[in-house]
Amino acid sequence: MVSVKAFKRLKGFFLNAEWNSPSAVTVLFGPSGSGKSLTLKAISGLIPLESGRISVKDRLFFDSEKGVNLPPQKRKVGYLPQSHTLFPHLSVYRNLTYGKGVDRKWLEHLIKVTETEKLLDKYPGSLSGGERQRIALVRALAIKPQILLLDEPFSSLHGFLKERLFEEIKKMCLEHEIPIVMVTHDVKELLHAGGYCIIYRNGQVEQEGQANAVYFKPSSKETAKLLGHKNFVRVKVLDSGENWSKILIPPNCEITLPQRYSGKEAWLLIPSSALALKRERETAKLGFKIIKINQTGENLEITAELSNHKLTFVLPESLGPNFILEPLKKVDFLLSLKYFHLIPVEEEDGKAFES
Amino acid sequence: MKLYLTEESLFAVKLSVKTAVCSTAFVVLFGIPLAYLLARSEFKLKRAVELIIMLPIVFAPTVTGYILLVILGKHGIVGSLIYKFFGRTILFSWFATVIASFVASFPLFVKTAQAAFRSVDEEYINVSYTLGRGKLYTFFNVSLPLSRAGITAGAMLAFARAFGEFGITLMIAGNIPFKTTTIPIEIYNAVSSAQFERANLLVLISAVVSLSMLFAVNRLLERWSP
């Protein structure tokens, strides 16, 4: 639906990103300064690219080979930057009618749907953060955009408001077949948005795929950390085949995972949600030493040690084990194997096992 | 303190007001596009342009005046053209007082307006472009209104500076009674002929104008600063 190939050299930075998103919602995720916002600006035509190709649905925005480069005015993109979205010197109504060729009937419909009638005479300065973003959204949609670009649009809002506003946006865009490309560095936002996820690192695409799949199967330890994962165990790969690998989790637990892996060593990612309730075919039993237990309201946060690796697990308070957990106690945990994921070891990680 | 209003003083006040108003009008007219260019775009010789505009601030007024004399004189680059088309020189006319004030106050305005344009967040302009609006529309509807405080302040500073211009004026407009004697020059004339009473009123008027401009500028920038 959205296809981007962007190359640009800046002072001390290379943008060299290429991705194809089949989904109505695309999330660009990565650390700040990795080129996400730059990509949005390239899609909207606000910065010139050296070479590449950008198309949205069947419309070509930019193609350096064919010499196509629509100016931002012709691309019809709804662009919502992080801040400074509404013109402070114009009333809400004049902000909404600012765009070129705004259809009054369509605008009235949008105002009605978003319940913003009562804000029309106000000035942006007197609106709350949520109201401001909602008005900015209506203004962007008023020009019937081909695509909606959101650059961390909710960073100034609180959790609940954030989710509600995003649901609203998503619903409206899906209804009118407007694809969304959103930039975030917040994992919660990424997972909540769902859709197709592009992981950025140093101006390049590190990984892409459905958000949930990328979350559980990151391709590097760096990405895994970025996604908020904390549990990594260094394991030895004993044998591997077409779609399986046999690993040794120290000190002496051998398990087979349904993942192809080439290499002698790996990082085993065990998501903090991998605790299983009962023994099944797809579970592994591992011996841990409890280090500490945190009660964080709804959840129980258990920190435990597995062969010198400190791991943290989270489970709902109500599903807490029926035995007493206390520091230094040795406990066997059942872990769901389907969440286990092997990540290649990088050179700077050094060697953990003697061969 | 005695205040005397003579015919000379009255002429000086009228001329100074006329000169400052005209000069400020030209300063704003030429200064706004230039300040915007300097604030928003990169071009060859940008540094050189910035430097040349700033020269009157660091040069001695007599030096600036001398350079203008050379340029605007009958045989100068600009002066010869004017002479060719109009058959006369603009030096030592009332318009020369406008030119002197213009040159002296232009850098003050451009610097202030440039800072004002630069303080407008680029995302406003980006949003305007994506909403289908071109560069000119965006300039008049976003950039200009959002920097109006700084631009007004710059214009007031320029007016105050123009009102008090002396050195360059003396060099290129001269000290011709009832022709180019602005307030500062008339004050000089009064004092040099030891007529302090005549100077007093002019000094007072000049000081009041300058102070009220300064006061207004401070209030303006205070109120508009984020």
Side-chain angles (χ1 to χ4, degrees):
Chain A
M1 206 174 254
V2 184
S3 146
V4 168
K5 191 172 150 194
F7 182 79
K8 185 175 178 66
R9 240 181 300 235
L10 291 169
K11 262 181 212 158
F13 185 78
F14 264 114
L15 178 69
N16 189 5
E18 189 176 350
W19 49 264
N20 271 300
S21 170
S23 171
V25 178
T26 310
V27 184
L28 310 185
F29 182 83
S32 44
S34 58
K36 299 165 297 184
S37 299
L38 209 60
T39 304
L40 282 199
K41 286 207 165 75
I43 297 175
S44 53
L46 293 168
I47 55 149
L49 287 176
E50 271 161 59
S51 65
R53 191 179 183 281
I54 293 169
S55 65
V56 172
K57 291 201 272 191
D58 50 1
R59 268 189 86 213
L60 187 63
F61 281 1
F62 177 76
D63 191 331
S64 54
E65 273 170 26
K66 287 188 190 156
V68 176
N69 185 11
L70 293 184
Q73 288 85 354
K74 292 264 160 69
R75 294 194 186 191
K76 286 207 153 195
V77 295
Y79 175 62
L80 263 76
Q82 244 183 85
S83 56
H84 299 107
T85 44
L86 294 181
F87 303 125
H89 60 296
L90 300 179
S91 71
V92 166
Y93 185 73
R94 287 191 55 206
N95 261 287
L96 293 180
T97 52
Y98 184 90
K100 198 176 178 183
V102 170
D103 178 354
R104 295 294 153 118
K105 274 214 171 120
W106 167 239
L107 179 62
E108 271 166 34
H109 165 74
L110 288 173
I111 292 171
K112 213 169 159 190
V113 173
T114 51
E115 296 168 17
T116 45
E117 295 100 334
K118 57 185 189 305
L119 303 176
L120 295 180
D121 295 329
K122 290 190 176 180
Y123 275 81
S126 62
L127 303 182
S128 72
E131 286 170 337
R132 232 174 277 169
Q133 290 304 66
R134 184 169 284 135
I135 295 296
L137 173 77
V138 175
R139 186 181 60 183
L141 292 176
I143 59 162
K144 294 188 176 163
Q146 300 282 325
I147 184 170
L148 189 65
L149 306 174
L150 310 172
D151 193 350
E152 309 207 13
F154 315 116
S155 53
S156 60
L157 306 181
H158 293 295
F160 166 71
L161 205 59
K162 209 188 259 191
E163 280 167 24
R164 217 183 76 183
L165 189 56
F166 184 72
E167 284 306 318
E168 233 169 78
I169 294 176
K170 205 158 126 182
K171 205 180 124 214
M172 285 174 86
C173 287
L174 288 180
E175 236 174 73
H176 298 99
E177 293 177 344
I178 302 166
I180 300 174
V181 177
M182 174 177 135
V183 159
T184 186
H185 62 244
D186 182 336
V187 186
K188 263 194 185 163
E189 255 176 59
L190 162 72
L191 294 172
H192 184 260
Y196 200 75
C197 162
I198 321 280
I199 308 260
Y200 269 68
R201 203 197 328 174
N202 295 331
Q204 299 198 337
V205 174
E206 169 110 357
Q207 194 179 355
E208 59 178 286
Q210 292 301 320
N212 222 45
V214 169
Y215 179 74
F216 285 112
K217 310 239 173 293
S219 60
S220 74
K221 197 177 170 193
E222 202 65 37
T223 304
K225 279 183 181 165
L226 205 62
L227 289 164
H229 292 297
K230 293 184 199 98
N231 301 343
F232 305 94
V233 179
R234 194 63 176 261
V235 297
K236 206 168 171 177
V237 181
L238 300 172
D239 199 4
S240 64
E242 190 63 38
N243 50 12
W244 58 271
S245 316
K246 194 172 174 191
I247 59 166
L248 172 78
I249 301 173
N252 53 13
C253 178
E254 276 181 30
I255 52 174
T256 305
L257 294 176
Q259 181 188 354
R260 183 204 176 105
Y261 187 86
S262 53
K264 294 258 182 273
E265 288 181 25
W267 285 110
L268 174 64
L269 166 66
I270 307 178
S272 58
S273 55
L275 279 183
L277 288 177
K278 56 180 194 281
R279 182 147 208 161
E280 278 170 27
R281 212 154 49 92
E282 299 266 294
T283 51
K285 194 165 147 187
L286 293 171
F288 286 89
K289 188 168 87 188
I290 302 291
I291 294 178
K292 73 173 189 225
I293 293 127
N294 273 343
Q295 282 172 303
T296 61
E298 288 179 3
N299 292 324
L300 210 56
E301 213 179 85
I302 303 163
T303 308
E305 204 177 73
L306 173 73
S307 67
N308 293 327
H309 296 287
K310 254 187 212 163
L311 307 183
T312 305
F313 294 101
V314 176
L315 74 167
E317 179 81 50
S318 59
L319 296 180
N322 51 10
F323 49 88
I324 295 164
L325 284 174
E326 54 189 27
L328 296 178
K329 190 171 171 170
K330 292 223 161 101
V331 178
D332 283 344
F333 280 149
L334 289 172
L335 295 163
S336 196
L337 284 184
K338 66 177 176 190
Y339 294 116
F340 281 26
H341 178 65
L342 296 174
I343 296 171
V345 172
E346 272 155 49
E347 276 191 18
E348 64 254 36
D349 293 333
K351 268 197 156 181
F353 304 100
E354 296 296 319
S355 53
Chain B
M1 192 170 81
K2 286 180 180 165
L3 302 172
Y4 280 120
L5 181 66
T6 63
E7 226 168 289
E8 284 93 344
S9 311
L10 196 64
F11 176 82
V13 172
K14 277 183 189 164
L15 179 63
S16 272
V17 170
K18 203 164 94 177
T19 298
V21 168
C22 283
S23 151
T24 309
F26 283 116
V27 161
V28 171
L29 196 66
F30 293 109
I32 285 182
L34 184 65
Y36 187 76
L37 275 182
L38 291 175
R40 284 283 165 211
S41 55
E42 285 300 323
F43 53 92
K44 257 190 183 173
L45 298 176
K46 181 174 164 175
R47 298 275 160 265
V49 170
E50 275 186 306
L51 201 78
I52 290 170
I53 294 167
M54 291 299 285
L55 285 182
I57 286 186
V58 288
F59 272 8
T62 43
V63 173
T64 310
Y66 182 82
I67 295 170
L68 285 174
L69 264 185
V70 171
I71 296 173
L72 296 173
K74 257 185 211 175
H75 306 290
I77 319 166
V78 181
S80 59
L81 284 176
I82 294 171
Y83 196 76
K84 215 165 139 190
F85 286 108
F86 300 100
R88 50 189 289 199
T89 170
I90 48 168
L91 292 175
F92 306 107
S93 65
W94 85 268
F95 198 71
T97 65
V98 176
I99 294 175
S101 293
F102 176 87
V103 170
S105 56
F106 195 59
L108 279 177
F109 177 78
V110 171
K111 277 287 142 189
T112 324
Q114 191 183 343
F117 280 129
R118 210 173 266 157
S119 70
V120 175
D121 196 284
E122 213 179 350
E123 292 288 24
Y124 288 130
I125 296 165
N126 287 342
V127 165
S128 173
Y129 288 173
T130 59
L131 287 170
R133 294 304 185 179
K135 284 190 174 167
L136 215 59
Y137 187 95
T138 304
F139 174 77
F140 282 110
N141 291 279
V142 177
S143 307
L144 200 57
L146 284 180
S147 40
R148 62 177 176 244
I151 287 169
T152 314
M156 285 174 158
L157 283 177
F159 186 88
R161 179 69 186 82
F163 206 74
E165 205 333 279
F166 177 74
I168 306 174
T169 308
L170 196 61
M171 291 293 284
I172 69 168
N175 184 354
I176 308 167
F178 294 106
K179 195 169 180 194
T180 63
T181 43
T182 57
I183 292 179
I185 286 177
E186 200 51 34
I187 293 172
Y188 172 79
N189 288 342
V191 174
S192 60
S193 52
Q195 293 173 301
F196 289 91
E197 295 88 348
R198 208 167 65 144
N200 283 344
L201 179 69
L202 293 173
V203 168
L204 189 71
I205 291 173
S206 192
V208 166
V209 169
S210 303
L211 276 175
S212 48
M213 285 293 159
L214 197 61
F215 181 72
V217 166
N218 281 345
R219 280 290 302 270
L220 198 68
L221 293 183
E222 223 169 72
R223 193 145 49 94
W224 284 87
S225 64

Tab-separated table of all heavy atoms in Angstrom, chain A residues 227-261:
chain	number	residue	atom	x	y	z
A	227	LEU	N	12.812	-2.939	21.768
A	227	LEU	CA	11.409	-3.318	21.921
A	227	LEU	C	11.055	-3.570	23.379
A	227	LEU	O	9.938	-3.938	23.698
A	227	LEU	CB	11.109	-4.563	21.087
A	227	LEU	CG	11.095	-4.337	19.577
A	227	LEU	CD1	11.175	-5.650	18.824
A	227	LEU	CD2	9.836	-3.580	19.172
A	228	GLY	N	12.038	-3.405	24.254
A	228	GLY	CA	11.764	-3.515	25.683
A	228	GLY	C	12.072	-4.882	26.285
A	228	GLY	O	11.785	-5.130	27.449
A	229	HIS	N	12.638	-5.766	25.481
A	229	HIS	CA	12.982	-7.084	26.038
A	229	HIS	C	14.210	-6.988	26.926
A	229	HIS	O	15.150	-6.252	26.623
A	229	HIS	CB	13.259	-8.077	24.902
A	229	HIS	CG	12.045	-8.414	24.105
A	229	HIS	ND1	10.952	-9.050	24.650
A	229	HIS	CD2	11.722	-8.172	22.812
A	229	HIS	CE1	10.022	-9.197	23.721
A	229	HIS	NE2	10.475	-8.657	22.594
A	230	LYS	N	14.178	-7.750	28.028
A	230	LYS	CA	15.307	-7.697	28.954
A	230	LYS	C	15.926	-9.062	29.193
A	230	LYS	O	17.010	-9.174	29.728
A	230	LYS	CB	14.855	-7.131	30.300
A	230	LYS	CG	14.443	-5.669	30.217
A	230	LYS	CD	14.113	-5.163	31.620
A	230	LYS	CE	13.277	-3.901	31.546
A	230	LYS	NZ	11.836	-4.169	31.720
A	231	ASN	N	15.202	-10.109	28.816
A	231	ASN	CA	15.662	-11.454	29.169
A	231	ASN	C	16.423	-12.143	28.046
A	231	ASN	O	15.830	-12.598	27.078
A	231	ASN	CB	14.469	-12.320	29.559
A	231	ASN	CG	13.702	-11.744	30.728
A	231	ASN	OD1	14.215	-10.884	31.442
A	231	ASN	ND2	12.489	-12.206	30.930
A	232	PHE	N	17.719	-12.155	28.184
A	232	PHE	CA	18.545	-12.839	27.187
A	232	PHE	C	19.420	-13.861	27.892
A	232	PHE	O	20.045	-13.554	28.899
A	232	PHE	CB	19.441	-11.850	26.449
A	232	PHE	CG	18.683	-10.721	25.810
A	232	PHE	CD1	18.517	-9.519	26.478
A	232	PHE	CD2	18.119	-10.884	24.554
A	232	PHE	CE1	17.815	-8.484	25.890
A	232	PHE	CE2	17.416	-9.843	23.961
A	232	PHE	CZ	17.257	-8.646	24.636
A	233	VAL	N	19.448	-15.073	27.357
A	233	VAL	CA	20.297	-16.110	27.935
A	233	VAL	C	21.226	-16.597	26.830
A	233	VAL	O	20.790	-16.858	25.705
A	233	VAL	CB	19.435	-17.286	28.461
A	233	VAL	CG1	20.324	-18.374	29.035
A	233	VAL	CG2	18.450	-16.797	29.504
A	234	ARG	N	22.510	-16.696	27.198
A	234	ARG	CA	23.474	-17.159	26.207
A	234	ARG	C	23.372	-18.678	26.112
A	234	ARG	O	23.515	-19.364	27.122
A	234	ARG	CB	24.865	-16.741	26.695
A	234	ARG	CG	25.955	-16.833	25.691
A	234	ARG	CD	25.720	-15.896	24.529
A	234	ARG	NE	26.846	-15.959	23.633
A	234	ARG	CZ	27.833	-15.077	23.628
A	234	ARG	NH1	27.806	-14.060	24.457
A	234	ARG	NH2	28.829	-15.213	22.781
A	235	VAL	N	23.087	-19.200	24.927
A	235	VAL	CA	22.930	-20.652	24.787
A	235	VAL	C	23.862	-21.207	23.708
A	235	VAL	O	24.347	-20.470	22.858
A	235	VAL	CB	21.472	-21.039	24.437
A	235	VAL	CG1	20.524	-20.644	25.542
A	235	VAL	CG2	21.047	-20.404	23.107
A	236	LYS	N	24.079	-22.514	23.810
A	236	LYS	CA	24.910	-23.210	22.846
A	236	LYS	C	23.990	-23.916	21.861
A	236	LYS	O	22.990	-24.502	22.270
A	236	LYS	CB	25.761	-24.240	23.604
A	236	LYS	CG	27.041	-24.591	22.922
A	236	LYS	CD	27.918	-25.364	23.896
A	236	LYS	CE	29.119	-25.936	23.179
A	236	LYS	NZ	30.016	-26.620	24.122
A	237	VAL	N	24.295	-23.792	20.573
A	237	VAL	CA	23.469	-24.477	19.586
A	237	VAL	C	24.130	-25.813	19.269
A	237	VAL	O	25.244	-25.858	18.758
A	237	VAL	CB	23.326	-23.624	18.310
A	237	VAL	CG1	22.437	-24.328	17.296
A	237	VAL	CG2	22.758	-22.254	18.653
A	238	LEU	N	23.433	-26.887	19.599
A	238	LEU	CA	24.038	-28.226	19.461
A	238	LEU	C	23.884	-28.764	18.043
A	238	LEU	O	24.783	-29.360	17.485
A	238	LEU	CB	23.381	-29.188	20.456
A	238	LEU	CG	23.512	-28.788	21.926
A	238	LEU	CD1	22.671	-29.700	22.788
A	238	LEU	CD2	24.972	-28.817	22.369
A	239	ASP	N	22.716	-28.511	17.474
A	239	ASP	CA	22.432	-29.091	16.168
A	239	ASP	C	21.296	-28.288	15.555
A	239	ASP	O	20.518	-27.664	16.273
A	239	ASP	CB	22.005	-30.567	16.354
A	239	ASP	CG	22.146	-31.326	15.032
A	239	ASP	OD1	22.627	-30.722	14.058
A	239	ASP	OD2	21.751	-32.504	15.015
A	240	SER	N	21.223	-28.263	14.248
A	240	SER	CA	20.100	-27.551	13.652
A	240	SER	C	19.762	-28.115	12.296
A	240	SER	O	20.593	-28.751	11.651
A	240	SER	CB	20.406	-26.063	13.534
A	240	SER	OG	21.484	-25.884	12.650
A	241	GLY	N	18.521	-27.917	11.887
A	241	GLY	CA	18.069	-28.445	10.602
A	241	GLY	C	17.229	-27.423	9.880
A	241	GLY	O	17.283	-26.238	10.180
A	242	GLU	N	16.448	-27.926	8.926
A	242	GLU	CA	15.643	-27.057	8.062
A	242	GLU	C	14.840	-26.033	8.851
A	242	GLU	O	14.857	-24.861	8.569
A	242	GLU	CB	14.716	-27.946	7.212
A	242	GLU	CG	13.980	-27.218	6.107
A	242	GLU	CD	14.939	-26.633	5.075
A	242	GLU	OE1	15.963	-27.275	4.746
A	242	GLU	OE2	14.650	-25.514	4.627
A	243	ASN	N	14.097	-26.511	9.833
A	243	ASN	CA	13.277	-25.585	10.601
A	243	ASN	C	13.290	-25.895	12.096
A	243	ASN	O	12.300	-25.782	12.777
A	243	ASN	CB	11.835	-25.564	10.064
A	243	ASN	CG	11.291	-26.973	9.930
A	243	ASN	OD1	11.906	-27.932	10.437
A	243	ASN	ND2	10.154	-27.108	9.287
A	244	TRP	N	14.422	-26.363	12.563
A	244	TRP	CA	14.548	-26.626	13.992
A	244	TRP	C	15.980	-26.401	14.439
A	244	TRP	O	16.908	-26.436	13.639
A	244	TRP	CB	14.096	-28.049	14.356
A	244	TRP	CG	14.883	-29.107	13.606
A	244	TRP	CD1	14.567	-29.621	12.390
A	244	TRP	CD2	16.100	-29.733	14.025
A	244	TRP	NE1	15.514	-30.535	12.001
A	244	TRP	CE2	16.461	-30.627	12.995
A	244	TRP	CE3	16.897	-29.638	15.166
A	244	TRP	CZ2	17.604	-31.411	13.068
A	244	TRP	CZ3	18.038	-30.439	15.244
A	244	TRP	CH2	18.391	-31.312	14.184
A	245	SER	N	16.129	-26.147	15.712
A	245	SER	CA	17.462	-26.038	16.308
A	245	SER	C	17.415	-26.664	17.689
A	245	SER	O	16.444	-26.494	18.418
A	245	SER	CB	17.888	-24.578	16.462
A	245	SER	OG	17.586	-23.840	15.321
A	246	LYS	N	18.493	-27.377	17.995
A	246	LYS	CA	18.582	-27.976	19.324
A	246	LYS	C	19.573	-27.138	20.115
A	246	LYS	O	20.704	-26.930	19.671
A	246	LYS	CB	19.066	-29.407	19.189
A	246	LYS	CG	18.882	-30.223	20.438
A	246	LYS	CD	19.212	-31.671	20.122
A	246	LYS	CE	19.200	-32.535	21.359
A	246	LYS	NZ	19.757	-33.851	21.078
A	247	ILE	N	19.126	-26.654	21.241
A	247	ILE	CA	20.021	-25.798	22.014
A	247	ILE	C	20.245	-26.336	23.412
A	247	ILE	O	19.459	-27.136	23.930
A	247	ILE	CB	19.466	-24.349	22.114
A	247	ILE	CG1	18.091	-24.346	22.772
A	247	ILE	CG2	19.420	-23.687	20.765
A	247	ILE	CD1	17.630	-22.979	23.203
A	248	LEU	N	21.327	-25.861	23.995
A	248	LEU	CA	21.625	-26.215	25.384
A	248	LEU	C	21.557	-24.945	26.222
A	248	LEU	O	22.316	-24.001	26.018
A	248	LEU	CB	23.027	-26.821	25.480
A	248	LEU	CG	23.524	-27.045	26.901
A	248	LEU	CD1	22.887	-28.297	27.507
A	248	LEU	CD2	25.045	-27.168	26.950
A	249	ILE	N	20.578	-24.940	27.127
A	249	ILE	CA	20.514	-23.818	28.054
A	249	ILE	C	21.321	-24.235	29.279
A	249	ILE	O	21.024	-25.267	29.890
A	249	ILE	CB	19.060	-23.528	28.475
A	249	ILE	CG1	18.217	-23.200	27.232
A	249	ILE	CG2	19.007	-22.370	29.464
A	249	ILE	CD1	16.740	-23.063	27.511
A	250	PRO	N	22.360	-23.495	29.616
A	250	PRO	CA	23.188	-23.921	30.725
A	250	PRO	C	22.399	-23.960	32.034
A	250	PRO	O	21.461	-23.184	32.165
A	250	PRO	CB	24.285	-22.854	30.775
A	250	PRO	CG	23.772	-21.704	29.991
A	250	PRO	CD	22.780	-22.225	29.028
A	251	PRO	N	22.676	-24.810	32.943
A	251	PRO	CA	23.794	-25.739	32.861
A	251	PRO	C	23.494	-26.998	32.060
A	251	PRO	O	24.372	-27.519	31.393
A	251	PRO	CB	24.041	-26.090	34.329
A	251	PRO	CG	22.714	-25.911	34.989
A	251	PRO	CD	22.009	-24.828	34.252
A	252	ASN	N	22.262	-27.503	32.045
A	252	ASN	CA	22.090	-28.818	31.433
A	252	ASN	C	20.716	-29.078	30.833
A	252	ASN	O	20.221	-30.182	30.853
A	252	ASN	CB	22.395	-29.895	32.481
A	252	ASN	CG	21.565	-29.666	33.737
A	252	ASN	OD1	20.611	-28.875	33.720
A	252	ASN	ND2	21.914	-30.321	34.814
A	253	CYS	N	20.086	-28.028	30.323
A	253	CYS	CA	18.752	-28.250	29.767
A	253	CYS	C	18.807	-28.200	28.248
A	253	CYS	O	19.152	-27.196	27.647
A	253	CYS	CB	17.798	-27.181	30.292
A	253	CYS	SG	16.156	-27.347	29.607
A	254	GLU	N	18.485	-29.332	27.632
A	254	GLU	CA	18.490	-29.381	26.169
A	254	GLU	C	17.074	-29.282	25.661
A	254	GLU	O	16.198	-30.022	26.110
A	254	GLU	CB	19.103	-30.707	25.699
A	254	GLU	CG	20.600	-30.662	25.647
A	254	GLU	CD	21.182	-31.982	25.150
A	254	GLU	OE1	20.502	-32.657	24.351
A	254	GLU	OE2	22.307	-32.311	25.572
A	255	ILE	N	16.843	-28.335	24.735
A	255	ILE	CA	15.503	-28.262	24.145
A	255	ILE	C	15.613	-28.040	22.632
A	255	ILE	O	16.628	-27.572	22.139
A	255	ILE	CB	14.624	-27.140	24.750
A	255	ILE	CG1	15.363	-25.805	24.729
A	255	ILE	CG2	14.162	-27.474	26.126
A	255	ILE	CD1	14.513	-24.652	25.172
A	256	THR	N	14.543	-28.386	21.944
A	256	THR	CA	14.510	-28.182	20.499
A	256	THR	C	13.477	-27.116	20.184
A	256	THR	O	12.348	-27.152	20.671
A	256	THR	CB	14.137	-29.494	19.791
A	256	THR	OG1	15.067	-30.485	20.226
A	256	THR	CG2	14.216	-29.337	18.285
A	257	LEU	N	13.917	-26.121	19.399
A	257	LEU	CA	13.027	-25.020	19.052
A	257	LEU	C	12.674	-25.088	17.574
A	257	LEU	O	13.500	-25.504	16.765
A	257	LEU	CB	13.711	-23.676	19.322
A	257	LEU	CG	14.027	-23.341	20.767
A	257	LEU	CD1	14.781	-22.028	20.833
A	257	LEU	CD2	12.758	-23.264	21.603
A	258	PRO	N	11.461	-24.678	17.219
A	258	PRO	CA	11.073	-24.701	15.807
A	258	PRO	C	11.598	-23.470	15.068
A	258	PRO	O	10.850	-22.682	14.539
A	258	PRO	CB	9.545	-24.693	15.868
A	258	PRO	CG	9.227	-23.975	17.130
A	258	PRO	CD	10.361	-24.228	18.081
A	259	GLN	N	12.905	-23.319	15.085
A	259	GLN	CA	13.492	-22.160	14.419
A	259	GLN	C	14.790	-22.582	13.762
A	259	GLN	O	15.587	-23.300	14.340
A	259	GLN	CB	13.764	-21.052	15.455
A	259	GLN	CG	14.353	-19.794	14.852
A	259	GLN	CD	14.794	-18.792	15.911
A	259	GLN	OE1	14.561	-18.977	17.109
A	259	GLN	NE2	15.442	-17.734	15.470
A	260	ARG	N	14.984	-22.112	12.541
A	260	ARG	CA	16.230	-22.426	11.866
A	260	ARG	C	17.297	-21.472	12.385
A	260	ARG	O	17.076	-20.280	12.548
A	260	ARG	CB	16.005	-22.205	10.362
A	260	ARG	CG	17.186	-22.568	9.520
A	260	ARG	CD	17.116	-21.804	8.206
A	260	ARG	NE	18.318	-22.095	7.449
A	260	ARG	CZ	18.326	-22.907	6.409
A	260	ARG	NH1	17.202	-23.481	6.020
A	260	ARG	NH2	19.443	-23.137	5.757
A	261	TYR	N	18.464	-21.998	12.674
A	261	TYR	CA	19.530	-21.136	13.161
A	261	TYR	C	20.882	-21.691	12.760
A	261	TYR	O	21.166	-22.870	12.971
A	261	TYR	CB	19.459	-21.011	14.693
A	261	TYR	CG	20.430	-19.990	15.242
A	261	TYR	CD1	20.073	-18.647	15.309
A	261	TYR	CD2	21.708	-20.361	15.658
A	261	TYR	CE1	20.949	-17.698	15.786
A	261	TYR	CE2	22.610	-19.414	16.129
A	261	TYR	CZ	22.224	-18.091	16.188
A	261	TYR	OH	23.093	-17.148	16.659
